[in-house]
Amino acid sequence: MKLYGSYTSPFVRHCRMALMSSGQVFEFVETDQASSAMHSPTKRVPFLQDNDTFLTDSSAILFYIRQQAGQDYLASPAELDIFCMVNTALDSTVNLFFLEKDGVDIHNVAYTQRQAARIMSSLAQFEQLTLSDSAPYSDAELRLACYLDWGLFRQRINIANCPNLQRFLAGIATYPPFAATKPPQ
Ligand SMILES: N[C@@H](CCC(=O)N[C@@H](CS)C(=O)NCC(=O)O)C(=O)O
């Protein structure tokens, strides 16, 4: 099984954590934008190849990994909803990151202003969640941790006024698969 991705992507990190905790043998193939543009129709990472199985989205990749390992994945509509909400915030944050990198003035465009507002209201909602303070973590929680850590690493979010999220991140920092996949600083 080959997982293609970067060491910084939060979507890839979640898949790497799932693979590590499943005990499955896999090869991680570091993939840049030029290579993902050539090998995946979405032109994004992660993507996964396992014999005849080719998957192009982290949600499907996680489904595959969890299924193969006989582990739970998004066990209730409520958990799926949190997972989706984190993905929405993450997509908005990644979009703003890339747009700003490409020179777009994101503060003066109505659409990007809406994305920024979405990120703020999502963080406020995440702060209200009841979150585990130690393993086992659900996939919604793992996705949230990947998002928060990436957002802080890229200086795209501020959780100074979110004690619940800070506590959650401090707890998961000692979870071995999370610690082992930290983006290179
Ligand atoms: N829905 C996708 C999102 C993946 C994604 O946004 N990946 C980013 C890296 S964090 C990417 O490859 N972006 C390149 C681009 O948009 O050109 C998933 O869950 O796998």
Side-chain angles (χ1 to χ4, degrees), residues 11-142:
F11 300 98
V12 175
R13 184 180 190 180
H14 191 171
C15 296
R16 290 169 65 214
M17 285 199 293
L19 278 165
M20 282 176 182
S21 65
S22 75
Q24 291 177 77
V25 176
F26 72 101
E27 182 186 343
F28 182 70
V29 183
E30 199 173 357
T31 305
D32 61 14
Q33 274 184 8
S35 179
S36 62
M38 215 150 50
H39 294 106
S40 171
T42 64
K43 304 186 185 299
R44 285 170 153 183
V45 289
F47 53 97
L48 177 136
Q49 181 87 58
D50 188 26
N51 298 316
D52 290 342
T53 301
F54 180 68
L55 301 171
T56 63
D57 192 283
S58 65
S59 302
I61 293 169
L62 287 165
F63 189 163
Y64 185 72
I65 295 166
R66 298 295 190 210
Q67 192 176 55
Q68 298 242 320
Q71 296 171 338
D72 278 350
Y73 177 57
L74 302 175
S76 68
E79 192 194 334
L80 174 60
D81 195 57
I82 295 168
F83 180 84
C84 291
M85 208 191 305
V86 178
N87 284 343
T88 300
L90 188 41
D91 279 338
S92 292
T93 313
V94 169
N95 278 345
L96 293 185
F97 171 68
F98 279 120
L99 285 170
E100 206 161 38
K101 235 174 129 183
D102 285 347
V104 174
D105 179 4
I106 60 170
H107 305 291
N108 284 309
V109 177
Y111 181 65
T112 48
Q113 286 169 351
R114 281 209 303 284
Q115 305 248 33
R118 176 177 300 125
I119 294 164
M120 298 290 284
S121 54
S122 299
L123 283 171
Q125 184 64 29
F126 301 149
E127 174 66 8
Q128 302 308 314
L129 295 173
T130 301
L131 298 164
S132 306
D133 48 21
S134 60
Y137 292 101
S138 70
D139 275 300
E141 290 174 319
L142 294 174

